[in-house]
Amino acid sequence: MIKLGVNVDHVATVRETRGISEPDPVAAAVLAELAGADGITVHLREDRRHIRERDVRLLKETIKTRLNLELALAPEILDFALEIKPYAATFVPEKREELTTEGGLDVISHRLKLEPVIRNFKEAGIIVSLFIDPDLDQIEAAAAIGAQFIEIHTGRYCDAKSEKEEKKEFTLIDHACISAANFGLRINAGHGLNYRNVAPVAKLPGIEELNIGHSIIAHSIYVGLERAVREMKALLS
Ligand code: PXP
């Protein structure tokens, strides 16, 4: 069955609005695991707008599943990740002014920077994934520089304004999965997935894990986190 990685960034977002210690993304991660999450994902952004180093350290010590750390190519974050050694590192593009990650990483133009970083992370025993758009040239570049996984950016599929556009974006994701598999890449996907749009993506062959944050944390406000995770897991099966 396809795995569910729960992104708990937005628990930290709520905490940061008050600058106090609650709600705690570490407690949320434990509850998500009890409800069946197969992994926990967090993004340590350069501006620390939600997740902080303390969270990543405690998550690494506490969770029983797998920690996937999202990060950009910022030297101090890279050093921190190499010290913590999460199960997996997913490289994402990052802009300070964005509300959330906008678009995939441009592997082709960042190839020279990415290549040695990927080598270091792999040598440290960290699985390397690149968050990219469903674009065949980017997939080829990801394979060429030694990434083990790609995470296909599903944002444009999720944000589609018409059925026609949704179908077009879905086809791109489908083709991206076929191409990635042909290059020997393992595949995750995520961004913007929710209880209404997740099922077709979960059915695509080759995808191992979906990383989902906002919709689960939003739903948990109404039904509680454990139920929100269980309902998402049920849609994946
Ligand atoms: N995957 C990546 C690489 C992301 O940056 C994010 C957002 O932090 C997600 C998945 C989860 O996206 P969402 O919160 O829209 O489910």
Side-chain angles (χ1 to χ4, degrees):
M1 191 176 116
I2 191 163
K3 292 190 172 70
L4 173 63
V6 175
N7 180 317
V8 294
D9 288 353
H10 293 315
V11 177
T13 303
V14 176
R15 175 188 64 190
E16 294 303 314
T17 61
R18 280 291 166 102
I20 55 173
S21 60
E22 286 180 322
D24 189 338
V26 182
V30 171
L31 283 175
E33 284 190 324
L34 287 172
D38 302 289
I40 300 297
T41 293
V42 288
H43 183 178
L44 184 63
R45 295 185 72 102
E46 279 186 84
D47 62 8
R48 312 296 197 274
R49 70 170 73 155
H50 39 53
I51 292 297
R52 297 183 170 275
E53 280 86 339
R54 168 264 183 207
D55 304 324
V56 184
R57 283 185 207 285
L58 284 180
L59 284 167
K60 174 74 199 295
E61 280 179 29
T62 311
I63 66 170
K64 303 287 179 276
T65 57
R66 304 173 322 176
L67 179 62
N68 173 33
L69 179 64
E70 291 176 9
L71 74 172
L73 285 171
E76 58 148 343
I77 308 262
L78 295 176
D79 289 346
F80 176 72
L82 284 167
E83 177 205 324
I84 296 294
K85 293 193 175 49
Y87 173 81
T90 300
F91 289 91
V92 299
E94 196 174 300
K95 292 192 219 117
R96 281 193 180 237
E97 63 278 12
E98 69 192 357
L99 288 178
T100 181
T101 313
E102 291 167 357
L105 193 63
D106 185 347
V107 181
I108 298 166
S109 36
H110 291 97
R111 188 182 174 135
L112 289 180
K113 259 189 172 177
L114 274 166
E115 216 162 359
V117 172
I118 292 177
R119 204 176 318 119
N120 282 349
F121 273 60
K122 282 165 71 178
E123 274 168 20
I126 304 167
I127 288 176
V128 173
S129 179
L130 304 180
F131 180 61
I132 57 176
D133 290 328
D135 175 294
L136 303 189
D137 294 333
Q138 295 290 346
I139 292 167
E140 185 174 358
I145 60 172
Q148 292 135 306
F149 273 83
I150 55 164
E151 179 173 331
I152 299 176
H153 179 221
T154 52
R156 280 204 294 270
Y157 157 75
C158 297
D159 293 341
K161 298 281 179 283
S162 65
E163 255 180 53
K164 190 173 162 215
E165 192 187 336
E166 187 183 72
K167 211 169 159 195
K168 181 182 138 230
E169 294 299 335
F170 183 78
T171 304
L172 291 177
I173 297 171
D174 187 16
H175 291 173
C177 289
I178 295 165
S179 163
N182 285 338
F183 280 112
L185 286 161
R186 297 173 69 186
I187 310 162
N188 298 326
H191 211 285
L193 295 170
N194 61 38
Y195 296 83
R196 290 176 299 283
N197 62 25
V198 75
V201 178
K203 282 191 204 131
L204 286 172
I207 299 185
E208 295 187 28
E209 181 165 319
L210 297 178
N211 282 312
I212 308 180
H214 185 270
S215 64
I216 291 177
I217 302 304
H219 195 49
S220 77
I221 290 172
Y222 308 123
V223 304
L225 186 55
E226 293 190 53
R227 184 167 148 195
V229 172
R230 282 208 182 91
E231 286 182 18
M232 188 57 84
K233 279 283 287 188
L235 289 170
L236 302 196
S237 60

